[in-house]
Amino acid sequence: MRIKHILVLSISLLPLSIVGCKDDDIEPERDDSEEETGFTIPTYADDYSSIASWANRNEWNLANVHDPSVAYYNGYYYMYGTDASYGNEHEGHGHFQGKRSTDLVNWEWVGGPFYEPPSWVADSLNAIRLRMGLEVISENDIRYGFWAPVVRRVNVGGQDILRMYYSIVIDNYIKTGKANTPNNFDGSWTERAFIGMCESIDPAGAVWTDKGFVTTSSSDRGLDYSRSSLSDWEAYFYYNAIDPTYIVTPEGKHYLIHGSWHSGFALLQVDPESGKPLNTLGEPYANSVSELTARYGVRIGTRTSSSRWQGSEAPEIIYKDGYYYLFLAYDGLDIPYNTRVVRSTNIEGPYYDISGRNFTNGRGDCYPIVTHPYKFNLSYGWVGISHCSISQKEDTDEWFYISQGRLPPNVNGNPYSNAIMMGHVRRIVWCPASQDEPDNLWPIALPERYAAVPDYGTITKDSLVGTWEHITLRYTYGVQNQASSLTLKANGTMSGALSGNWSYDATKKQLTLGNVVVCVEREVDWEANPRRVTFVYAGTEKNLNATYWGKMKK
């Protein structure tokens, strides 16, 4: 059981508190008029508490987003995520509610796949319990949690459909079946999670067909589900059946990857047509790791090989230019949540980070940092930025990082502001691992959110001269990395947050700061009042163990 998720959801249970490249040689102005371009900068507030009620859901846009997954279908990008909202406004209104957009900027609310827990969950749970010699748990006593779906467009029998894998967690103790509360602790671990699957050809109408059981949490400890105390974190389950991601390989094979916080991530092959496991799973418990993984999937990654509580979760996988890129979330999700990425030429691994650390074997923290809690000047900044969807814009080679961002605690005097979860869509830039490896490209999210800024022409070296807000995203648990001033001088030197020399390749849009190459783009300065277009950069270096983010001050 992911204790950190229970803690976060308890925050949202608190009472709702209302608080008020062209070839042009000339660099155009960065505040081109909307009349000339048809471009409009989003004006919605990041603190959406005043419109958080269910009655205002059509005004939410990207408000109330948690653990999103995005897929393109019939002209729209559809987004679905974990059941969570500020003040629990979602309760009683169905599960995995969605949003849709034509441009990845403006989103409208759409319904989710179901209102009640699917009946197969209780049936599957109690069938397993009976085979384990345990009493069944009455359906009325089962505590459900609805988490982290993944949605993909797939072609089945010549028809495009949306296929969703979703997680349902059972929050009852194994031994007695009682609800997971400290007073009910019975010396056992909490029950398992399930991954189910549903499909739709009419997501706009919220019409989904549930396909039922796919997999469940599985253990290498047989029937020994005992737990010595509430401070014992050596989990009973080897694989935790939550946080699925899904990929179709270039060879046409279909895989589900899932797992969280326990022993790592499982790779499970599924049948392309049915979406169900290709091989028979058998009992979700075994007496050894090898016996278990032979049926429930090979382990392709873990943050720490020796720990069953290793602080990584939410795998997301894409394939690009010969590599499988596996994105993963680190740490607790209220504030410290941050994103890393590793890659492999083989779907089964091994997966390595930018410096060669082996994530499949759990050889230490991985880099680069894709996102991390941060704060630009004149803003409260964002925390809890992870559990991402990586999506490709239809018919382009543009990639996007999509996640929630949480406001820090006590924003605008609101003690519950950390439960405000705004959806963040960021472009991904592919940056060199070092100056000597110009073609060894790694994905980093841009620091400012996507607003579909038009192409105003070539970004020239002269246009980058001036003052910037620079952030070194360096891993510090639960700390927002803050901006400091950086000046790029016309003579090619820099001062402030960084010193030394800088240079710029306008063809590649790559800015070199000392020995770190960053990628430059235009985005909206969301912290400015009013918001405006500016330059931003993101990049890393393979031995830096950090990421550079920056935006230009006007």
Side-chain angles (χ1 to χ4, degrees):
M1 180 56 58
R2 270 199 309 185
I3 301 299
K4 65 193 195 69
H5 262 291
I6 296 169
L7 291 174
V8 169
L9 292 179
S10 69
I11 291 173
S12 65
L13 288 168
L14 293 167
L16 183 64
S17 175
I18 302 298
V19 297
C21 282
K22 295 180 181 178
D23 293 328
D24 307 293
D25 294 324
I26 300 174
E27 173 64 19
E29 293 293 325
R30 290 187 295 279
D31 57 350
D32 292 56
S33 69
E34 295 175 8
E35 289 77 12
E36 292 179 6
T37 64
F39 166 61
T40 301
I41 294 175
T43 58
Y44 62 81
D46 291 331
D47 181 353
Y48 59 81
S49 54
S50 63
I51 58 166
S53 69
W54 183 253
N56 290 320
R57 63 189 179 280
N58 290 326
E59 300 178 50
W60 284 356
N61 202 322
L62 280 168
N64 282 328
V65 168
H66 189 51
D67 303 340
S69 182
V70 175
Y72 185 82
Y73 187 75
N74 280 356
Y76 288 90
Y77 298 92
Y78 283 88
M79 176 190 293
Y80 300 89
T82 291
D83 261 17
S85 62
Y86 183 68
N88 274 353
E89 288 293 318
H90 67 282
E91 287 190 342
H93 299 289
H95 300 293
F96 308 124
Q97 288 133 49
K99 303 175 188 292
R100 70 175 188 170
S101 172
T102 58
D103 59 8
L104 294 171
V105 178
N106 301 289
W107 297 80
E108 61 181 0
W109 181 90
V110 293
F114 47 80
Y115 279 76
E116 299 295 334
S119 60
W120 67 261
V121 179
D123 294 343
S124 298
L125 171 69
N126 282 320
I128 294 169
R129 288 182 63 85
L130 285 172
R131 296 197 301 270
M132 294 176 68
L134 297 163
E135 293 184 2
V136 301
I137 307 175
S138 168
E139 281 198 53
N140 292 332
D141 294 329
I142 296 176
R143 292 176 48 153
Y144 299 94
F146 300 87
W147 287 349
V150 62
V151 62
R152 296 284 192 264
R153 185 183 69 207
V154 296
N155 190 281
V156 178
Q159 181 177 35
D160 278 351
I161 64 173
L162 278 189
R163 177 173 286 171
M164 178 192 292
Y165 291 91
Y166 57 85
S167 307
I168 297 184
V169 176
I170 309 301
D171 198 19
N172 298 67
Y173 286 113
I174 296 176
K175 183 178 180 180
T176 62
K178 292 182 177 180
N180 175 16
T181 67
N183 291 336
N184 285 340
F185 179 63
D186 61 6
S188 72
W189 286 89
T190 49
E191 262 293 1
R192 64 192 64 249
F194 292 91
I195 292 176
M197 192 263 284
C198 57
E199 295 176 339
S200 178
I201 58 173
D202 183 16
V207 179
W208 293 80
T209 301
D210 191 45
K211 300 292 186 175
F213 175 92
V214 176
T215 189
T216 186
S217 300
S218 52
S219 176
D220 61 329
R221 292 180 172 177
L223 299 180
D224 183 10
Y225 45 77
S226 61
R227 187 182 188 188
S228 60
S229 69
L230 291 174
S231 59
D232 174 10
W233 299 109
E234 288 297 301
Y236 169 60
F237 295 112
Y238 189 81
Y239 289 142
N240 195 8
I242 62 170
D243 294 357
T245 186
Y246 182 50
I247 190 170
V248 180
T249 70
E251 298 78 26
K253 294 182 178 180
H254 292 228
Y255 290 91
L256 191 71
I257 300 172
H258 69 273
S260 136
W261 279 68
H262 291 195
S263 299
F265 302 146
L267 175 74
L268 182 66
Q269 189 171 0
V270 299
D271 177 75
E273 189 164 325
S274 70
K276 298 296 185 73
L278 197 62
N279 301 312
T280 301
L281 295 178
E283 296 293 1
Y285 44 86
N287 293 315
S288 68
V289 170
S290 60
E291 181 188 348
L292 180 74
T293 57
R295 295 184 284 111
Y296 276 79
V298 297
R299 185 171 78 172
I300 61 168
T302 181
R303 185 174 176 181
T304 308
S305 59
S306 60
S307 173
R308 295 179 77 101
W309 196 254
Q310 40 79 58
S312 66
E313 64 171 9
E316 170 72 327
I317 192 166
I318 63 168
Y319 180 83
K320 186 180 188 300
D321 298 335
Y323 287 101
Y324 295 93
Y325 289 88
L326 182 63
F327 296 77
L328 49 140
Y330 272 20
D331 303 329
L333 59 77
D334 52 350
I335 294 176
Y337 229 18
N338 63 102
T339 307
R340 313 300 177 93
V341 63
V342 292
R343 73 185 186 188
S344 174
T345 56
N346 189 316
I347 186 69
E348 294 189 3
Y351 286 83
Y352 295 97
D353 84 341
I354 195 170
S355 65
R357 297 179 184 91
N358 189 327
F359 176 68
T360 298
N361 291 336
R363 295 295 182 259
D365 285 353
C366 293
Y367 293 87
I369 294 171
V370 181
T371 63
H372 189 278
Y374 73 99
K375 180 184 181 304
F376 280 118
N377 299 328
L378 305 178
S379 75
Y380 296 100
W382 294 97
V383 300
I385 314 163
S386 198
H387 196 133
C388 66
S389 172
I390 305 297
S391 299
Q392 187 175 12
K393 194 171 185 180
E394 192 72 3
D395 299 324
T396 75
D397 194 35
E398 293 183 86
W399 291 84
F400 292 82
Y401 173 101
I402 306 170
S403 74
Q404 72 280 335
R406 290 175 176 266
L407 288 177
N410 300 311
V411 167
N412 293 328
N414 181 359
Y416 312 125
S417 60
N418 190 226
I420 291 174
M421 294 171 287
M422 176 62 74
H424 286 198
V425 180
R426 289 179 163 84
R427 277 191 294 171
I428 288 175
V429 288
W430 298 83
C431 296
S434 72
Q435 289 180 283
D436 300 328
E437 301 169 278
D439 299 321
N440 181 9
L441 304 179
W442 287 79
I444 305 291
L446 287 175
E448 292 284 17
R449 288 166 282 163
Y450 179 65
V453 175
D455 180 1
Y456 292 138
T458 301
I459 300 174
T460 65
K461 180 178 180 180
D462 289 346
S463 66
L464 303 183
V465 173
T467 304
W468 296 70
E469 291 185 45
H470 171 86
I471 302 176
T472 298
L473 291 179
R474 194 176 300 280
Y475 178 53
T476 307
Y477 186 91
V479 174
Q480 284 179 277
N481 297 139
Q482 299 202 18
S484 54
S485 182
L486 170 66
T487 300
L488 300 185
K489 301 177 182 179
N491 64 2
T493 64
M494 54 186 178
S495 62
L498 302 172
S499 60
N501 298 319
W502 70 278
S503 60
Y504 179 63
D505 184 331
T507 303
K508 295 182 176 181
K509 294 192 288 187
Q510 292 179 355
L511 169 65
T512 302
L513 303 173
N515 68 336
V516 178
V517 180
V518 300
C519 299
V520 180
E521 295 288 353
R522 290 183 181 88
E523 277 298 355
V524 163
D525 184 340
W526 290 75
E527 291 78 30
N529 187 15
R531 292 167 177 165
R532 59 179 178 80
V533 176
T534 191
F535 296 126
V536 298
Y537 62 67
T540 189
E541 201 276 337
K542 66 180 183 180
N543 297 310
L544 186 65
N545 287 351
T547 289
Y548 281 179
W549 272 4
K551 72 173 179 181
M552 193 173 194
K553 296 172 67 175
K554 194 167 183 179

